[in-house]
């Protein structure tokens, strides 16, 4: 059987290409994935276990359990001071599935999509799977953080652009888009009917405020915006595969029908755990953020002054994306670091064009392990690049 060209051309992303060399090896300090090593809190697990024990093992509504959708609305309204329409809230499965369905909703063969690089590799793959072509506009590293002006983003839109992916706070750079720039982009996209996929999964991981600016604060009910969010990051629930979208109000039926044919609704007992996360989880959100803030400090201390390493401080998310001057092949470097020093990081090349001199380091791991891993990375840089 032949495979569709677009699918045949897909490559496994560079993060798993490195990680699957030594997955679950206890000798490895794993800073490759976007997750910490803290197990989901007990009260969330307990809610899901209770649901399973009560026999909640059947299909649920493919739009999401009504109680979870209501809890998401209450959470968002409280966090941003808004009154989001319940018809806009949908729970197809994990945030990744939300991005996939949003891309399917907007794109077909020959259309164009725009991503703001450096970016998470899954996004371009998801976009390309629709048949669309992907363009990229790149942030710049500065001493105070990664930046891009909204005018540069708008200038990169073409007459064929049908969707733009805005991930703020950004994986892998920590860039955060301010509200006035979100508003400027939204205005242009409204005029030209371009979909914005606003990936806000790191919305609670910002250093200095309660939440990052959200498109939800400025988008009207039927603006061309799909805000994607999830439980993986802020509540330490990566393995649960559960998230949500807030979509244009008039797209309610299409979200249900696409959800039906992609996953037929999210896992039932995971949805019950997700309700507990929203209703009881503020303490968890703050504890995790405090830990990530300490991890961020450690990264800045260990790598910040190294003569071969340029590191822009991340404003949000839990990644550092340093440039290692003299490194020419990020995959080869990350593989050798893993083999020689038992430290796992993600190679820069997989985050889009012009990232071959970069590595992505997740600093959500326990602080001792993180510091040890970073010291070994520095040793390796000194041994191999001097
Ligand atoms: C930018 C971004 N979006 C989406 C996701 C996926 O979230 P989920 O685990 O809910 O599918 C990730 C996970 O790393 C991410 O970094």
């Amino acid at each position: 059987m032949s495979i569709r060209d677009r699918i045949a051309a897909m490559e496994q992303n560079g993060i798993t290409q490195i990680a699957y060399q030594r997955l679950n090896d206890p000798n490895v300090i794993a800073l490759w994935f976007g997750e910490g090593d803290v197990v989901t809190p007990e009260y969330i697990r307990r809610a899901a276990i209770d649901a399973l024990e009560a026999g909640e093992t059947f299909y649920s509504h493919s739009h999401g359990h009504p109680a979870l959708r209501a809890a998401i609305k209450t959470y968002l309204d409280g966090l941003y001071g808004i009154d989001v329409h319940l018809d806009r809230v949908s729970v197809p499965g994990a945030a990744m599935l939300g991005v996939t369905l949003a891309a399917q909703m907007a794109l077909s063969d020959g259309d164009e999509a725009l991503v703001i690089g450096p970016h998470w590799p899954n996004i371009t793959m998801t976009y390309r799977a629709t048949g669309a072509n992907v363009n990229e506009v790149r942030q710049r590293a500065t001493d105070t953080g990664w930046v891009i002006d909204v005018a540069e983003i708008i200038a990169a839109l073409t007459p064929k652009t049908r969707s733009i992916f805005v991930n703020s706070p950004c994986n892998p750079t920590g860039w955060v888009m301010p509200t006035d720039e979100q508003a400027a982009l939204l205005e242009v996209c409204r005029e030209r009917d371009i979909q914005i996929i606003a990936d806000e999964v790191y919305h609670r991981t910002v250093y200095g405020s309660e939440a990052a600016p959200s498109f939800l604060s400025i988008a009207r009910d039927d603006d061309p915006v799909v805000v994607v969010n999830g439980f993986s990051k802020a509540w330490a629930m990566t393995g649960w595969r559960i998230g949500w979208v807030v979509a244009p109000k008039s797209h309610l039926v299409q979200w249900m029908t696409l959800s039906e044919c992609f996953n037929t609704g999210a896992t039932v007992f995971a949805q019950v755990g997700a309700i507990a996360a929203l209703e009881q989880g503020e303490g968890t959100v703050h504890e995790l953020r405090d830990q990530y803030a300490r991890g961020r400090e450690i990264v800045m201390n260990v790598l910040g002054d190294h003569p071969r390493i340029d590191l822009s401080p991340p404003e949000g998310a839990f990644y550092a994306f340093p440039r290692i001057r003299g490194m020419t092949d990020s995959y080869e470097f990350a593989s050798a670091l893993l083999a020689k020093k038992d430290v796992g990081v993600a190679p820069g090349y997989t985050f889009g064009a012009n990232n071959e001199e970069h590595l992505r380091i997740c600093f959500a791991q326990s602080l001792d392990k993180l510091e040890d891993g970073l010291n070994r990375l520095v040793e390796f840089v000194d041994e191999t690049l001097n």
Side-chain angles (χ1 to χ4, degrees):
M1 183 203 94
S2 57
I3 298 176
R4 252 177 73 217
D5 289 352
R6 280 304 175 109
I7 306 300
M10 276 183 171
E11 277 179 20
Q12 184 190 348
N13 78 45
I15 310 169
T16 57
Q17 282 202 37
I18 294 290
Y20 290 175
Q21 295 177 23
R22 304 271 298 274
L23 194 64
N24 299 325
D25 181 336
N27 296 321
V28 171
I29 298 179
L31 311 175
W32 39 43
F33 292 138
E35 62 184 355
D37 49 10
V38 175
V39 172
T40 305
E42 207 274 337
Y43 60 90
I44 301 174
R45 286 182 280 145
R46 175 54 46 202
I49 292 166
D50 288 350
L52 272 173
E53 285 183 349
E56 294 204 35
T57 60
F58 298 97
Y59 287 126
S60 74
H61 200 295
S62 48
H63 203 31
H65 193 292
L68 175 56
R69 290 177 55 226
I72 292 168
K73 174 187 160 46
T74 304
Y75 168 76
L76 295 173
D77 287 357
L79 186 63
Y80 299 121
I82 55 175
D83 179 15
V84 70
H85 201 293
L86 200 51
D87 282 356
R88 295 173 64 198
V89 179
S90 197
V91 182
M96 186 60 241
L97 184 60
V99 174
T100 299
L101 298 190
Q104 290 289 330
M105 203 76 77
L107 294 163
S108 51
D109 277 353
D111 286 340
E112 287 180 11
L114 181 65
V115 296
I116 300 167
H119 57 79
W120 192 41
N122 296 26
I123 301 312
T124 34
M125 295 205 283
T126 296
Y127 267 149
R128 288 201 183 105
T130 66
N133 298 315
V134 183
N135 300 321
E136 183 175 329
V137 58
R138 196 169 190 274
Q139 305 160 42
R140 284 181 306 282
T142 74
D143 289 346
T144 51
W146 287 79
V147 296
I148 185 167
D149 196 287
V150 69
E152 296 170 71
I153 301 173
I154 292 169
L157 299 169
T158 78
K160 284 185 157 184
T161 308
R162 301 269 34 96
S163 178
I164 172 170
F165 183 77
V166 181
N167 172 215
S168 165
C170 174
N171 169 9
T173 65
W175 166 71
V176 173
M177 191 179 208
T179 304
D180 58 331
E181 303 215 344
Q182 291 180 337
L185 181 63
L186 176 57
E187 199 178 310
V188 171
C189 290
R190 211 181 255 150
E191 274 165 22
R192 301 196 208 165
D193 194 26
I194 296 171
Q195 176 199 57
I196 299 173
I197 303 181
D199 181 330
E200 299 185 354
V201 298
Y202 299 98
H203 69 307
R204 301 304 301 274
T205 312
V206 267
Y207 306 103
S209 64
E210 263 306 300
S214 171
F215 275 91
L216 288 177
S217 303
I218 52 172
R220 301 177 199 141
D221 279 354
D222 265 313
D223 272 335
V225 180
V226 179
V227 178
V228 177
N229 213 323
F231 293 88
S232 287
K233 313 293 175 175
W235 293 273
M237 294 171 66
T238 48
W240 292 63
R241 315 310 305 129
I242 182 93
W244 72 85
V245 301
V246 180
K249 183 165 164 279
S250 57
H251 295 178
L252 167 79
V253 172
Q254 283 81 9
W255 274 94
M256 270 193 289
T257 43
L258 261 196
S259 170
E260 253 164 41
C261 67
F262 272 76
N263 200 28
T264 320
T267 307
V268 169
F269 43 90
Q271 295 193 62
V272 178
I275 294 173
L278 289 173
E279 291 181 345
Q280 302 165 52
E282 275 306 288
T284 300
V285 169
H286 290 146
E287 277 162 31
L288 289 171
R289 185 174 52 205
D290 290 349
Q291 190 206 316
Y292 304 152
R294 289 197 293 277
R296 179 178 177 273
E297 243 174 70
I298 290 173
V299 177
M300 294 310 297
N301 287 342
V302 178
L303 304 185
D305 292 330
H306 192 281
R308 274 202 177 268
I309 300 177
D310 297 335
L311 179 58
S312 302
E315 205 182 326
F318 44 52
Y319 307 101
F321 198 60
R323 174 176 172 223
I324 317 281
R325 270 182 281 112
M327 180 177 81
T328 50
D329 183 330
S330 60
Y331 180 80
E332 189 193 49
F333 188 92
S335 295
L337 175 68
L338 181 61
K340 302 258 162 56
K341 299 286 180 189
D342 297 324
V343 176
V345 298
Y349 86 89
T350 201
F351 297 90
N354 301 316
N355 295 315
E356 208 49 277
E357 283 186 304
H358 289 265
L359 298 174
R360 189 194 72 176
I361 296 161
C362 173
F363 55 76
Q365 293 288 316
S366 349
L367 303 177
D368 289 353
K369 249 205 266 176
L370 174 66
E371 190 157 13
D372 188 5
L374 292 170
N375 284 328
R376 293 189 207 184
L377 166 64
V378 168
E379 258 173 41
F380 190 67
V381 168
D382 291 342
E383 285 164 16
T384 56
L385 296 178
N386 278 331

